[in-house]
Amino acid sequence: MSKGSKTIETINPCNGESLKTYPYQTDSEINDKLKLADTIFADWKTKSINERTELLDSLYNNLSHSKEKLSELITLEMGKPITESKAEIDKCLLLIQFYKKNAEQFLADVLIETEAHESYISYDPLGCILAVMPWNYPFWQVFRFAIPTLTAGNVALLKHASNVTGCALAIEELFLDSGFPKGAFQTLLTNHDTIEKIIGNTIVKAVTLTGSEKAGKSIAATAGKHLKKTLLELGGNNACIILKDADLDKYLDTIVKARMQNSGQSCIAAKRFLVEETIYDEFLEKFTEKIKALNYNNPLDDKTNMSCLARPDLAETLEQQVSKSIDKGAKVHYGNTRDKAYYQPTILTNISEDMDVFKEETFGPLAPIMKVKNLDEAIKLASKSSFGLGTMIFTEDYKTASKKVLDIEDGAYFINELVKSDPRLPFGGTKASGYGRELSKEGILEFVNKKTVFINK
Ligand code: NAP
């Protein structure tokens, strides 16, 4: 989509073929959507939680019946291997089940004993919530916002990443087909300027953004000007620590997945490998073998596990970060070729803290590997990041590793597991990775008015 254009064109990043062109919605169409959201909210908020979660059953069925078709749409629009698109839909199904089972309990009034006849917390919906979402998990990111937020009685407006506009419209259709009232979940097709204006509209009560630090700063500044709550899920630069006693036979596949899943385009991916010196050579050799064996092929083929990046400019940015780091002394151990949106899985060694691949988020299949003396040095380096999404560590001495919880400044610390999202656990970051939490009970309570009710007889 070019600046100033009135249409959005989606393009298959793996072959450059145009998929579809969508017209922007007009100002008047967008105003109608805002008004409809407001009208529907007045009724939707009066429904019992049970009435709302009942619709989750039909949403579950519709999503599960359309899994093949929607997985293909994800792969065509943003390029990820089809098996990963299917896994993304499966994860959305788990999320639906999770909130279907737990929402009533999460949103129940909490009685608090005071001198009042009765006092309690009532979790009331806020109204219309605007979500600005990224392309890397085009269904999962939207669902993990929408399911708890709608179940809590809010209504939603989605501004999805332009390159996954087909997914955005398919999600809106799923909600409608599942019996959600027209207006409870609506997709906006528009540009950044209009989104900034919509944030100022009194109908919009809060904003959530998953995306880059730059977008987060811009959206949060606008929301701040209008005193509206924001939730930000931004980039990450997670460290993956491998200690000398790590069980590589058991965990090497997990470690490879930590960096290479979604062709490296995951906010919580392992982006800096900190490896204890006594296991460094063995790790490098075994890790490289695994990277060489990745199947880089047609993303619609079930056997493919690596693919192109979601846009050619993303591969170009990654190539530049690597090239600037090479200028500062990084060595290419494996890979580093690019063809349009395809960037070969790459391993860099001889990394120092002043390099882009250490300081910045790298969004693609790149593994910078650093040698460290011991656990303490690794933890220190792990925290040397402006981001704070998560840290993972692989060691057989989980007891010592678990004593380091307080030293980790991030939103997550995973021992002998890759940092991952799970509907049952809160998800979110610190520092430049954003604030607020999605998923679990914490997530459903982000967009509610935690109202104090105090009753004297
Ligand atoms: P992006 O460029 O920031 O875009 C994200 C979304 O924000 C898109 O819908 C984009 O719309 C929109 N946007 C950007 N600037 C805007 C503005 N000024 N006003 C209104 N909307 C704006 O990020 P991306 O490249 O799509 O996604 C990758 C980034 O997301 C990475 O940094 C990744 O780490 C992060 N991410 C974080 C999480 C998390 O949970 N923490 C999860 C996934 C991804 P257009 O497409 O129209 O530009």
Side-chain angles (χ1 to χ4, degrees):
M1 181 195 49
S2 62
K3 258 203 153 163
S5 78
K6 296 260 189 291
T7 56
I8 302 170
E9 184 187 15
T10 52
I11 294 169
N12 180 336
C14 294
N15 59 19
E17 276 171 20
S18 175
L19 295 168
K20 205 164 171 176
T21 299
Y22 304 84
Y24 273 164
Q25 290 153 351
T26 61
D27 286 352
S28 128
E29 282 171 327
I30 287 180
N31 274 334
D32 288 348
K33 283 180 189 292
L34 281 159
K35 279 190 215 141
L36 181 63
D38 206 31
T39 309
I40 290 303
F41 173 64
D43 182 52
W44 183 242
K45 73 174 182 183
T46 65
K47 304 275 181 219
S48 69
I49 298 163
N50 253 336
E51 280 174 288
R52 290 187 216 125
T53 54
E54 259 170 32
L55 298 176
L56 293 180
D57 285 335
S58 43
L59 186 67
Y60 181 97
N61 290 335
N62 286 335
L63 181 60
S64 127
H65 286 139
S66 322
K67 179 174 157 183
E68 295 293 319
K69 189 180 79 184
L70 296 175
S71 303
E72 193 175 310
L73 178 63
I74 295 175
T75 294
L76 288 175
E77 286 198 325
M78 59 69 66
K80 76 172 69 178
I82 190 76
T83 48
E84 294 193 2
S85 300
K86 288 179 190 166
E88 183 175 335
I89 299 288
D90 285 340
K91 202 163 167 184
C92 294
L93 291 168
L94 270 180
L95 175 100
I96 294 172
Q97 280 178 321
F98 174 76
Y99 281 111
K100 162 89 187 164
K101 185 168 163 220
N102 296 298
E104 194 162 19
Q105 178 209 330
F106 291 161
L107 295 166
D109 293 346
V110 178
L111 285 170
I112 302 206
E113 222 169 283
T114 64
E115 67 278 17
H117 165 64
E118 193 181 342
S119 47
Y120 63 94
I121 307 168
S122 173
Y123 294 121
D124 298 354
L126 292 179
C128 176
I129 314 296
L130 172 69
V132 183
M133 290 288 147
W135 45 263
N136 61 342
Y137 292 92
F139 271 68
W140 169 246
Q141 301 292 358
V142 175
F143 271 70
R144 79 182 190 185
F145 147 73
I147 301 301
T149 303
L150 290 176
T151 304
N154 299 292
V155 295
L157 288 176
L158 168 69
K159 150 73 183 93
H160 215 330
S162 320
N163 54 334
V164 290
T165 297
C167 290
L169 293 168
I171 295 170
E172 182 181 59
E173 202 177 308
L174 271 171
F175 277 101
L176 275 175
D177 291 350
S178 306
F180 282 77
K182 188 172 172 352
F185 181 99
Q186 301 178 89
T187 288
L188 303 174
L189 303 184
T190 188
N191 59 20
H192 294 181
D193 291 345
T194 308
I195 290 299
E196 303 263 350
K197 275 190 221 137
I198 290 172
I199 294 171
N201 190 301
T202 51
I203 290 171
V204 171
K205 302 298 186 235
V207 189
T208 177
L209 172 122
T210 301
S212 60
E213 192 182 341
K214 184 169 168 239
K217 283 181 176 161
S218 174
I219 295 281
T222 308
K225 209 163 68 190
H226 297 281
L227 290 182
K228 297 199 177 161
K229 176 174 174 154
T230 47
L231 186 153
L232 299 179
E233 297 282 6
L234 309 178
N237 194 4
N238 290 0
C240 175
I241 300 169
I242 291 128
L243 296 184
K244 61 175 184 259
D245 62 350
D247 186 342
L248 292 185
D249 291 336
K250 190 166 169 194
Y251 293 116
L252 199 59
D253 286 335
T254 304
I255 294 168
V256 170
K257 188 174 173 195
R259 171 68 271 203
M260 297 299 167
Q261 67 173 328
N262 216 30
S263 304
Q265 304 164 112
S266 164
C267 54
I268 43 175
K271 293 181 182 136
R272 295 172 297 147
F273 290 81
L274 308 173
V275 185
E276 199 167 1
E277 55 192 7
T278 42
I279 200 176
Y280 180 87
D281 290 338
E282 182 192 350
F283 172 76
L284 187 60
E285 190 191 326
K286 290 185 171 167
F287 184 74
T288 308
E289 283 316 305
K290 290 274 180 192
I291 298 301
K292 282 182 181 169
L294 291 172
N295 184 358
Y296 220 125
N297 219 320
N298 175 2
L300 288 170
D301 185 332
D302 268 345
K303 286 187 221 70
T304 299
N305 51 23
M306 276 306 290
S307 185
C308 66
L309 302 194
R311 295 189 315 254
D313 63 287
L314 296 164
E316 213 175 305
T317 302
L318 185 60
E319 189 181 41
Q320 282 163 7
Q321 289 171 305
V322 169
S323 153
K324 283 193 206 155
S325 302
I326 291 170
D327 290 346
K328 289 190 171 164
K331 297 222 158 23
V332 179
H333 179 74
Y334 177 75
N336 193 30
T337 60
R338 181 175 77 85
D339 178 15
K340 300 187 185 90
Y342 280 91
Y343 185 79
Q344 190 187 12
T346 295
I347 300 171
L348 292 185
T349 57
N350 210 34
I351 305 299
S352 56
E353 291 173 41
D354 60 337
M355 293 175 184
D356 284 7
V357 297
F358 185 89
K359 289 188 300 190
E360 296 180 357
E361 178 178 45
T362 52
F363 223 54
L366 172 76
I369 304 190
M370 258 176 131
K371 207 182 270 186
V372 293
K373 283 197 179 60
N374 50 37
L375 172 64
D376 285 340
E377 190 192 357
I379 296 278
K380 232 167 146 184
L381 273 175
S383 301
K384 277 198 176 169
S385 171
S386 58
F387 295 101
L389 265 188
T391 295
M392 60 206 98
I393 183 164
F394 291 86
T395 172
E396 288 304 276
D397 185 3
Y398 72 91
K399 284 190 180 153
T400 301
S402 58
K403 289 193 184 122
K404 297 291 181 188
V405 172
L406 253 184
D407 295 323
I408 303 292
E409 299 169 349
D410 307 339
Y413 182 41
F414 279 60
I415 300 173
N416 291 321
E417 182 55 280
L418 55 93
V419 175
K420 59 183 179 183
S421 56
D422 179 322
R424 297 165 297 181
L425 295 166
F427 183 93
T430 60
K431 304 192 273 184
S433 293
Y435 46 76
R437 292 294 178 264
E438 292 189 301
L439 304 175
S440 75
K441 181 177 178 180
E442 306 294 325
I444 203 169
L445 296 184
E446 278 287 351
F447 295 116
V448 293
N449 172 11
K450 293 166 186 162
K451 186 185 286 169
T452 295
V453 182
F454 191 100
I455 303 169
N456 271 338
K457 273 212 265 193

